[in-house]
C-alpha cells in the first residue's frame, strides 16, 4: 500500500485528537486450484487491500480496520478510531514502541519474495501430478484431492513515532490427500508443503507418492491396551510440543500470572544440550520478517539455551507491564492490538536418528498424527489424541489408532531427547523427539 496514503491516515488521526497513531496497509493476491479424481474441482482467486489503524488518546487506545480505502472511508475510519479510543478504559502500558528500539537503517534482505506468479493451469497441472502419484500407490482406493496455491503479500507499517517500512513475501503450496482401503476399513494419509520460492517445492510426484504411502501403511491399525511406555513424536509433528512452551513464555501470560512457567525464567527446563532457537532472519523462512509488527528491530534468540529458559516473548505492552524491554516478538493482524508470537522456531537436533531412538527405547509408540490437544495452562498438564505405530525391538510392528497420550509438560520437557532428523518444513520445526515414558490410554 502506498506510503503516502498511510502517512496521511496517521496525520489525520493526530489532527482528529489522537496523541499517537500507527497505520498498517496490506495488499494480498492469492490463487488456489483443487482437483479430485482427475477432475478440476475448484479455482479461487483473491485480491484485497486492507487498512488498519491504531490510535492512542492518553493511555486509552482503539484499533479499527476496513477494506475500503477511499478518501471518504479513510476519514470515517479515523473518526471512528479516535471516538472509540476516547471511550476505552485506560491502559497504563499502552503506547507505540520506544523509538530507540525501532528498526533503523537498511533492513536485512531475507529473500522472501518470488515475483513469479503461476497460472491456474500450472497449479492445476502440479496438483494433478501429485494426485495421480498418490492414487498409483498400492492400497490406495480413493482420493481426498490435491491442491496447489500461491499468494503474494505486501505489508507496510507507518507510525507517528517516525517508523515507516515495508515487508513483502510470497508463498507457494502443494498438497495431496489419499485414502487407502482393505475392504474393511479406510485410512487417510497426506503430504503438504509451503515454501517462499516456487523452486523450493518438492516434485509433485514425490509429494503425492508420500501421501499415498502414509495412507497405505495405516491399514490394519488396531487399538492397544492402556499402558505406560516410551513415546516418539515423529519430526513432522514434534514441533507441536513447542506450541505450549511458546504460550507459556508469552509476555501477556506471564503478566497475568496464568502460565505454568511463570517462575521458571533462568531455570533448567530441558536436559543439558537441548536448544530452542527463534530466528526471524532465516533466509526464505516462513516466519521471517525484517522487523516485528511494532517496527521493533528483531533478532535471533536462544529461548532455551543448554536446557535453560532464557527469556519471555515480549511486545511493548507486556514488556512495560513486567518492567522489561520488548524482545521484538510483537505479532498482529489489522483488526486488533499486537500480541506476541515467535518467528522461525527450531528445536535443534541431537545425535540419533529416528531409527536409533527406536532402538534405544526398544518398545513403545511412534506418533505420526495428533488431534484435539488439551492443556491446563496453569499446571502444564497436557494430553492429546493420536495415532501411529507400535514398535518392538526397535522396529515398527503394526499401526495403532484411537489412543491418547498424557503427561505434565514440565516432566516431558525435562526428559525429552531430540533426534537428528530435523527437516525444515514450516515456521516451527523439530526433529523426532523421544520421551522415555508417557501414559498411553487405549482400550
Amino acid at each position: 500500500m502506498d506510503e503516502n496514503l498511510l502517512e496521511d491516515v496517521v496525520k489525520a488521526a493526530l489532527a482528529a485528537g489522537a496523541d499517537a497513531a500507527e497505520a498498517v496497509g496490506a495488499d494480498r493476491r492469492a490463487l488456489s486450484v483443487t482437483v479430485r479424481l482427475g477432475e478440476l474441482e475448484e479455482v479461487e482467486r483473491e485480491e484485497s487491500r486492507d487498512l488498519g489503524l491504531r490510535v492512542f488518546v492518553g493511555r486509552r487506545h482503539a484499533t479499527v480496520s476496513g477494506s475500503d480505502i477511499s478518501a471518504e472511508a479513510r476519514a470515517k475510519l479515523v473518526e471512528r478510531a479516535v471516538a472509540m479510543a476516547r471511550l476505552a478504559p485506560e491502559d497504563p502500558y499502552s503506547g507505540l514502541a520506544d523509538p530507540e528500539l525501532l528498526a533503523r537503517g537498511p533492513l536485512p534482505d531475507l529473500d522472501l519474495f518470488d515475483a513469479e506468479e503461476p497460472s491456474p493451469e500450472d497449479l492445476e497441472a502440479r496438483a494433478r501430478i501429485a494426485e495421480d502419484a498418490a492414487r498409483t500407490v498400492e492400497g490406495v482406493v480413493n482420493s481426498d484431492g490435491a491442491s496447489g496455491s500461491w499468494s503474494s503479500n505486501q505489508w507496510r507499517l507507518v507510525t507517528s513515532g517516525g517508523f515507516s517500512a515495508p515487508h513483502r513475501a510470497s508463498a507457494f503450496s502443494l498438497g495431496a490427500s489419499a485414502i487407502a482401503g482393505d475392504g474393511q476399513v479406510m485410512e487417510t494419509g497426506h503430504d503438504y508443503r509451503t515454501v517462499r520460492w516456487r523452486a523450493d517445492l518438492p516434485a509433485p510426484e514425490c509429494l503425492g507418492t508420500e501421501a499415498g504411502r502414509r495412507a497405505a501403511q495405516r491399514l490394519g491399525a488396531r487399538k492397544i491396551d492402556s499402558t505406560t511406555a516410551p513415546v516418539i513424536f515423529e519430526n513432522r509433528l514434534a514441533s507441536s510440543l513447542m506450541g505450549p512452551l511458546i504460550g507459556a513464555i508469552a509476555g501477556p501470560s506471564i503478566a497475568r500470572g496464568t502460565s505454568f512457567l511463570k517462575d521458571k525464567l533462568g531455570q533448567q527446563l530441558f536436559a543439558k544440550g537441548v536448544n530452542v532457537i527463534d530466528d526471524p532472519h532465516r533466509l526464505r523462512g516462513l516466519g521471517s520478517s525484517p522487523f516485528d509488527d511494532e517496527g521493533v528491530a528483531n533478532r535471533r534468540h536462544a529461548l532455551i539455551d543448554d536446557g535453560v529458559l532464557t527469556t519471555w516473548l515480549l511486545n511493548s505492552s507486556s514488556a512495560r507491564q513486567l518492567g522489561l524491554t520488548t524482545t521484538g516478538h510483537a505479532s498482529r493482524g489489522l483488526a486488533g492490538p499486537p500480541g506476541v508470537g515467535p518467528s522461525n522456531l527450531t528445536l535443534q537436533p541431537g545425535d540419533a536418528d529416528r531409527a536409533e531412538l527406536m532402538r534405544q527405547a526398544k518398545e513403545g509408540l511412534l506418533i505420526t498424527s495428533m488431534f484435539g490437544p488439551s492443556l491446563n495452562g496453569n499446571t502444564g498438564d497436557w494430553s492429546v489424541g493420536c495415532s501411529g505405530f507400535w514398535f518392538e525391538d526397535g522396529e515398527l510392528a503394526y499401526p495403532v489408532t484411537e489412543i491418547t497420550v498424557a503427561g505434565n509438560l514440565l516432566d516431558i520437557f525435562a526428559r525429552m531427547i531430540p533426534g537428528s532428523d530435523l527437516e525444515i518444513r514450516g515456521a516451527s520445526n523439530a526433529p523426532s523427539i523421544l520421551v522415555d515414558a508417557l501414559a498411553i490410554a487405549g482400550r
Side-chain angles (χ1 to χ4, degrees), residues 134 137 140 178 208-218 234 236:
V137 174
V140 171
T209 298
E210 178 64 11
R213 185 192 70 81
R214 293 178 74 86
Q217 72 175 170
R218 296 284 313 143
E234 184 186 37
R236 288 187 174 212

Side-chain angles (χ1 to χ4, degrees), residues 13-65:
L14 298 179
D19 296 309
E22 65 179 15
V24 179
D27 293 85
R28 172 178 167 82
R29 293 181 296 145
L31 175 66
S32 66
V33 176
T34 301
V35 300
R36 184 172 181 273
L37 299 177
E39 299 294 330
L40 179 63
E41 190 167 75
E42 187 176 53
V43 179
E44 291 187 352
R45 176 83 188 195
E46 175 191 346
E47 294 192 17
S48 63
R49 300 186 75 193
D50 297 292
L51 172 66
L53 174 65
R54 185 164 64 132
V55 302
F56 302 86
V57 177
R59 288 299 184 180
R60 306 173 192 271
H61 63 96
T63 306
V64 296
S65 63

Side-chain angles (χ1 to χ4, degrees), residues 267-291:
Q267 296 187 23
Q268 192 88 31
L269 285 187
F270 295 75
K272 287 185 175 295
V274 174
N275 300 284
V276 179
I277 305 299
D278 186 53
D279 183 7
H281 295 169
R282 175 187 291 159
L283 295 181
R284 301 191 180 187
L286 289 179
S288 296
S289 63
F291 50 86

Side-chain angles (χ1 to χ4, degrees), residues 148-280:
S149 64
W150 159 87
S151 67
S152 171
N153 295 276
Q154 300 195 48
W155 191 87
R156 178 180 283 274
L157 172 66
V158 173
T159 78
S160 59
F163 181 83
S164 177
H167 169 44
R168 67 176 184 172
S170 55
F172 296 79
S173 300
L174 183 64
S177 182
I179 301 173
D182 59 7
Q184 301 294 321
V185 296
M186 298 282 192
E187 297 286 350
T188 62
H190 71 275
D191 199 10
Y192 190 86
R193 192 69 62 88
T194 299
V195 296
R196 290 296 186 197
W197 283 69
R198 173 176 168 169
D200 294 335
L201 277 174
E205 54 268 32
C206 294
L207 186 145
T209 298
E210 178 64 11
R213 185 192 70 81
R214 293 178 74 86
Q217 72 175 170
R218 296 284 313 143
L219 292 174
R222 64 182 81 168
K223 299 178 182 179
I224 59 174
D225 292 332
S226 297
T227 186
T228 297
V231 172
I232 296 174
F233 297 85
E234 184 186 37
N235 59 355
R236 288 187 174 212
L237 52 75
S239 61
S240 297
L241 286 174
M242 297 296 100
L245 170 68
I246 295 304
I249 66 173
S253 295
I254 301 302
R256 290 192 302 268
T258 57
S259 167
F260 69 96
L261 297 181
K262 62 184 178 182
D263 300 319
K264 301 298 183 181
L265 187 63
Q267 296 187 23
Q268 192 88 31
L269 285 187
F270 295 75
K272 287 185 175 295
V274 174
N275 300 284
V276 179
I277 305 299
D278 186 53
D279 183 7

Side-chain angles (χ1 to χ4, degrees), residues 95-147:
L96 297 177
D98 295 337
E100 63 272 17
L101 301 178
L102 297 175
R104 303 292 189 185
L107 297 173
D109 181 2
L110 304 178
D111 204 21
L112 304 179
F113 185 73
D114 183 349
E116 180 181 0
E117 180 177 343
S119 66
E121 292 79 11
D122 177 68
L123 294 178
E124 180 184 353
R126 284 174 169 260
R128 286 182 182 276
I129 293 172
E131 186 189 43
D132 288 346
R135 294 172 67 191
T136 61
V137 174
E138 184 177 357
V140 171
V141 297
N142 206 336
S143 169
D144 262 344
S147 63

